[in-house]
Amino acid sequence: MLKKMSTYFVRTLREDPADAEVDSHRLLVRAGYIRRAAPGIYTWLPLGLRVLEKVADIVREEMDRIGAHEVSFPVLLAADAYKATNRWEDFGPSLFTLHDRKGADYLLAPTHEEMFTLLVKDLYSSYKDLPVVLYQIKDKYRDEARPRAGLIRGREFVMKDAYSFDIDDAGLETSYQIQRKAYQRIFTRLGLPFVICSATSGAMGGSASEEFLFPCSIGEDTFVASEGGYAANVEAVVTVAPEAGSNEGLPEAQVLVTPDSNTIDSLVETSNRLYPREDGRDWDATDTMKMLVYVVEYPDGRSEVITLGIPGNRNVDERRLAASLAPGEIRMAEPEDLKQYPDIVPGYIGPNVLGPNSARRVVDKDGNVSGSPRFFVDPRIVPGTLWIAGANEPGKHAYNLALGRDFEVDGTIEAAEVMEGDPAPDGSGPLTLQRGIELGHIFALGRKYAAALGLDVLDENGKARTVTMGSYGIGVSRIVAALVEANSDEKGIKWPFNVAPFHVHVVATGKDPVIFDTARQFAEELDSNGVQVLYDDREKVSAGVKFADAELLGLPLTIIVGKGLAEGVVEVRDRRTGEARTVPVEDGVKSAVVEIARYLEAMEEHDDLS
């Protein structure tokens, strides 16, 4: 049935929504694709739903192509399985939880690993049943503390999650690579540039993890890349540490007076003014050890204070720190947190009262530490290097501190920011920093969930073997936003052909009934030839408003039937390229439709790279 603007459920807005931060949020709301229902929660309107379903169809086609089987789990789930895998606690406050009338614990699913695992456990018992891949395209829920950017970070979102089940690690590797190639096909068909980045597994667990990121300035993820081909989310970058050297022959440590030097900049200035180096080089921030204190709060209710030492020219990247301490959540320590450690002097913290260096430290028979917070340092802080750090006295710092001679640590930690020009871990050159939107994430889960939930099958020798799993997610609703970020201008959206809600926007302009009759014939002929058409038949709306709406909605082609009809032509505008041309109608509407259909076919071949 032909869709007409006069009756179609769409209303465009002339003004940007007040809460819109990015182009995709602004344009999708203004063009009538989505409407805000609550913070981080959106209603999909008819136009938006058509786009969402087309994106989902591309994902579904590629999952079906590799032999995956589609299922659909409930969103409302009993908590038992999530408690068995500890994710009831590990997800922390981001998990939507509730009770039924009997007081039993339930949740709104953030992911469905447990349910997939239990389904296979229920139905399969032999290695002969494997491998198998199951997937679903489903709403998911996470209680984001700060939902933002419309569909990019919401509390309700549509996700494709797939899971592979294999008898051994070799099978998992094969399944992982098959999914990886399917993802490459999906994002190529969608026309979205992507970078495959090494990533951390976080609460998901597993031995390997990669993200598919769309490079975009408004993206929430920061990733690094080298000319030699290395790419990784910053949370997964491993610091290239110098080789440990000998502390023999190094200058002795000494405590010096450093008045008003409770920041790195002021410490460097004081050091150069009062204690110039003998080698003639100026002191700089790389000679100093910046000391920071954090509180880690674990899902089981425990918390601890930890201290960090990093090179003074860098800041802590809290995403990297959080990834290193997952599933714990982090926050900067406050004065109240430090009352139990009277030796620590903020602004002049030094290693001599931290971790294994503290005389107050006590370790009980269970390995629990008290009396002094654990002390971790950046991997660049190694024996044979010298550092300036606080002396835990106001106005004093210790110079020439060497790890292994003057202080010990509880370990190293990846917490310092990655900087432009840092060396790639694989030796492929200096790193550049970029922003991106995470479109997909694949994990080699291993046996974490299968072991926790008892998913075993009998192997060829009749012995029980724990199944190994992979997990593969795609943010279907987030892709819609990414497509707009990649395909828009100041006037509106420019949809690729294969995800556009309609292929052609037929616009009748003017008051002559012949114009509207001809426009309707165009729309009906296109519709009968399988072209998806939206016909703007509104009689009392000006041409300017109709043109603005057409550009805002962003359908690939716009056919304008107006004053040119008197000269026997209609105008065809390509929204994506901005090109306009005329099509003669003297041989009849049908011949013009055939020409337009040929053009559309060429667009389809370009976009649908299957």
Side-chain angles (χ1 to χ4, degrees):
M1 181 178 176
L2 183 63
K3 302 297 190 295
K4 302 177 181 179
M5 283 285 284
S6 62
T7 56
Y8 200 67
F9 192 70
V10 59
R11 290 291 183 273
T12 58
L13 305 176
R14 295 291 159 246
E15 301 295 330
D16 292 339
D19 60 338
E21 303 170 295
V22 299
D23 287 343
S24 57
H25 186 188
R26 176 176 62 84
L27 293 173
L28 286 168
V29 172
R30 277 193 55 206
Y33 285 83
I34 61 173
R35 293 289 286 178
R36 181 181 183 272
I41 303 172
Y42 290 86
T43 299
W44 290 87
L45 304 183
L47 283 172
L49 196 57
R50 289 177 71 97
V51 176
L52 182 69
E53 289 173 346
K54 289 187 176 185
V55 172
D57 284 344
I58 290 173
V59 174
R60 184 174 284 111
E61 287 167 11
E62 294 301 333
M63 288 297 101
D64 292 347
R65 176 188 288 200
I66 61 174
H69 306 277
E70 186 171 7
V71 298
S72 181
F73 288 104
V75 168
L76 179 64
L77 301 174
D80 296 348
Y82 286 77
K83 290 180 178 179
T85 59
N86 294 321
R87 294 210 301 169
W88 181 259
E89 294 82 16
D90 288 352
F91 265 110
S94 67
L95 194 67
F96 277 109
T97 62
L98 64 155
H99 303 289
D100 69 6
R101 65 181 64 195
K102 297 179 181 179
D105 288 329
Y106 281 79
L107 70 149
L108 297 180
T111 56
H112 278 88
E113 284 81 5
E114 287 81 357
M115 303 311 296
F116 278 92
T117 306
L118 290 172
L119 180 62
V120 174
K121 177 184 177 181
D122 185 37
L123 297 176
Y124 281 3
S125 59
S126 169
Y127 76 97
K128 295 178 181 179
D129 298 321
L130 305 178
V132 66
V133 180
L134 305 177
Y135 79 97
Q136 67 174 349
I137 298 175
K138 197 78 174 179
D139 289 348
K140 298 290 196 302
Y141 297 87
R142 294 181 190 172
D143 190 3
E144 294 284 353
R146 291 174 294 277
R148 61 173 295 273
L151 300 178
I152 291 174
R153 175 137 329 255
R155 288 176 167 153
E156 178 187 74
F157 51 95
V158 181
M159 179 178 172
K160 186 282 300 180
D161 47 341
Y163 299 84
S164 62
F165 299 84
D166 287 275
I167 191 65
D168 54 25
D169 291 341
L172 170 59
E173 175 61 20
T174 298
S175 295
Y176 186 95
Q177 293 302 327
I178 289 171
Q179 290 280 343
R180 195 176 192 269
K181 290 176 182 177
Y183 274 42
Q184 291 173 291
R185 287 195 299 271
I186 288 167
F187 298 126
T188 299
R189 287 181 62 182
L190 290 167
L192 284 171
F194 62 92
V195 178
I196 305 175
C197 296
S198 299
T200 57
S201 297
M204 289 285 289
S207 59
S209 166
E210 289 179 297
E211 289 179 344
F212 289 72
L213 297 179
F214 161 53
C216 181
S217 61
I218 60 94
E220 291 191 313
D221 284 65
T222 302
F223 69 96
V224 298
S226 71
E227 289 188 359
Y230 176 82
N233 188 300
V234 290
E235 297 162 19
V237 176
V238 177
T239 299
V240 179
E243 292 222 7
S246 171
N247 289 328
E248 291 186 14
L250 293 179
E252 291 296 315
Q254 57 180 325
V255 175
L256 299 174
V257 176
T258 52
D260 301 320
S261 301
N262 59 351
T263 67
I264 295 297
D265 288 343
S266 59
L267 174 60
V268 169
E269 190 278 327
T270 297
S271 299
N272 282 314
R273 178 167 47 84
L274 298 182
Y275 310 111
R277 294 173 59 97
E278 293 182 1
D279 60 7
R281 175 175 75 81
D282 284 343
W283 296 105
D284 61 39
T286 62
D287 298 309
T288 68
M289 192 190 313
K290 183 182 292 184
M291 309 295 287
L292 303 109
V293 187
Y294 279 84
V295 176
V296 188
E297 297 172 336
Y298 298 100
D300 62 5
R302 293 182 300 115
S303 67
E304 70 166 324
V305 175
I306 64 167
T307 49
L308 311 176
I310 66 173
N313 65 318
R314 296 175 188 261
N315 294 315
V316 166
D317 184 332
E318 293 193 346
R319 294 164 300 179
R320 282 171 55 77
L321 177 58
S324 297
L325 296 170
E329 295 193 351
I330 62 167
R331 62 175 175 83
M332 285 287 291
E334 299 175 355
E336 189 68 24
D337 300 308
L338 298 181
K339 284 185 177 179
Q340 57 184 314
Y341 305 115
D343 293 340
I344 292 177
V345 179
Y348 295 89
I349 300 174
N352 59 306
V353 298
L354 305 176
N357 310 292
S358 172
R360 297 177 183 268
R361 182 173 180 137
V362 176
V363 182
D364 66 20
K365 59 182 178 61
D366 297 321
N368 298 312
V369 176
S370 61
S372 174
R374 290 195 292 166
F375 178 40
F376 299 94
V377 295
D378 183 87
R380 299 172 187 83
I381 298 173
V382 296
T385 57
L386 295 174
W387 302 88
I388 306 172
N392 284 294
E393 293 183 56
K396 291 185 179 181
H397 280 83
Y399 286 67
N400 301 325
L401 292 175
L403 174 60
R405 183 191 70 180
D406 305 306
F407 66 94
E408 301 293 340
V409 297
D410 288 298
T412 60
I413 194 166
E414 295 286 1
E417 64 183 340
V418 179
M419 298 174 68
E420 193 90 13
D422 281 348
D426 64 353
S428 59
L431 297 175
T432 59
L433 289 165
Q434 301 179 53
R435 305 287 293 178
I437 296 173
E438 181 185 344
L439 304 176
H441 204 152
I442 58 178
F443 302 84
L445 284 182
R447 297 171 178 82
K448 172 182 175 179
Y449 297 92
L453 298 170
L455 173 53
D456 298 331
V457 297
L458 297 179
D459 66 13
E460 62 271 23
N461 299 313
K463 294 184 178 180
R465 292 270 295 275
T466 302
V467 170
T468 187
M469 296 170 56
S471 172
Y472 317 96
I474 286 180
V476 177
S477 53
R478 182 178 288 181
I479 284 173
V480 175
L483 284 165
V484 177
E485 293 293 335
N487 300 280
S488 60
D489 58 21
E490 70 281 357
K491 297 178 181 178
I493 304 169
K494 298 189 288 185
W495 290 114
F497 177 88
N498 57 355
V499 296
F502 296 95
H503 302 143
V504 176
H505 198 154
V506 176
V507 178
T509 64
K511 298 179 180 180
D512 190 338
V514 175
I515 290 175
F516 284 84
D517 287 343
T518 305
R520 178 180 49 78
Q521 289 180 55
F522 259 103
E524 289 175 348
E525 285 284 352
L526 286 165
D527 185 63
S528 66
N529 279 274
V531 176
Q532 297 171 20
V533 181
L534 180 62
Y535 171 36
D536 193 342
D537 62 331
R538 296 174 294 176
E539 294 185 358
K540 296 183 179 180
V541 177
S542 70
V545 170
K546 288 185 176 184
F547 294 157
D549 281 348
E551 290 172 326
L552 182 59
L553 267 57
L555 308 188
L557 282 187
T558 300
I559 299 174
I560 300 168
V561 184
K563 60 183 180 180
L565 192 61
E567 301 172 7
V569 296
V570 296
E571 183 179 357
V572 180
R573 296 180 182 178
D574 186 327
R575 179 68 181 100
R576 297 182 305 171
T577 65
E579 296 175 357
R581 60 197 181 97
T582 57
V583 174
V585 294
E586 65 266 16
D587 296 330
V589 170
K590 194 171 186 66
S591 64
V593 166
V594 169
E595 183 178 347
I596 292 163
R598 288 198 190 109
Y599 186 72
L600 286 167
E601 186 176 354
M603 294 174 73
E604 183 176 19
E605 289 175 357
H606 177 269
D607 280 353
D608 200 3
L609 303 174
S610 57

